[in-house]
Amino acid sequence: VAILAQGQPSVALIERAPRPDPSILSAAMGWGGDSKGKGWGKAWGIQNLFGKGFGGDFGKGKGKGKRRTDPEKTAWIGGLPENEASVERNKALMEHMKQAGECKFVKIGKTGTGCAAFTTADEVATAIATLNGSTFQGSVIQVDV
């Protein structure tokens, strides 16, 4: 701004420096660049704090997590052969365990032991009393708390 002799301000043109290319500026600030960055992730080191940055992996389900059962409604099962774990065997054992009550699920691992979940604690007591020492697929099974 220049002031003239009469006291009136006049507008003088000031030449500005040219603007930088937006793609260079955005890449330097962490936006865009090689199209692999996600938001603030790479430029600010936030990717290390939040794992995938701000823009990653939305919409994926979280899964069911571990099934949590009440220990009073769960019976321990043992005596099955090792390294023969299968979904079919678990289903067949669940049908065998339904003799004592409503069995929700059975999970037997490769060690030959596992658990069976029932709807009530009374059904667990019935399963222990009736199925402990019973034969399942040629093996004498143990049922306990």
Side-chain angles (χ1 to χ4, degrees), residues 22-69:
S23 64
I24 295 172
L25 182 63
S26 64
M29 295 180 68
W31 294 94
D34 61 356
S35 75
K36 292 182 183 176
K38 295 180 180 179
W40 294 67
K42 293 187 177 182
W44 301 99
I46 294 177
Q47 188 169 11
N48 293 336
L49 297 174
F50 293 107
K52 298 245 180 194
F54 282 108
D57 289 341
F58 288 110
K60 291 189 178 182
K62 295 186 179 189
K64 293 181 181 178
K66 290 190 175 186
R67 282 188 155 159
R68 298 188 187 266
T69 57

Side-chain angles (χ1 to χ4, degrees), residues 12-20:
L13 295 175
I14 300 174
E15 191 172 324
R16 292 186 179 190
R19 289 186 157 187

Side-chain angles (χ1 to χ4, degrees), residues 35-100:
S35 75
K36 292 182 183 176
K38 295 180 180 179
W40 294 67
K42 293 187 177 182
W44 301 99
I46 294 177
Q47 188 169 11
N48 293 336
L49 297 174
F50 293 107
K52 298 245 180 194
F54 282 108
D57 289 341
F58 288 110
K60 291 189 178 182
K62 295 186 179 189
K64 293 181 181 178
K66 290 190 175 186
R67 282 188 155 159
R68 298 188 187 266
T69 57
D70 187 3
E72 294 179 358
K73 299 177 184 178
T74 305
W76 176 84
I77 302 172
L80 294 166
E82 294 184 15
N83 296 322
E84 293 184 15
S86 69
V87 175
E88 292 81 23
R89 186 174 77 164
N90 285 343
K91 288 180 181 178
L93 184 57
M94 185 165 80
E95 292 302 317
H96 181 74
M97 298 300 284
K98 284 186 179 179
Q99 297 173 25

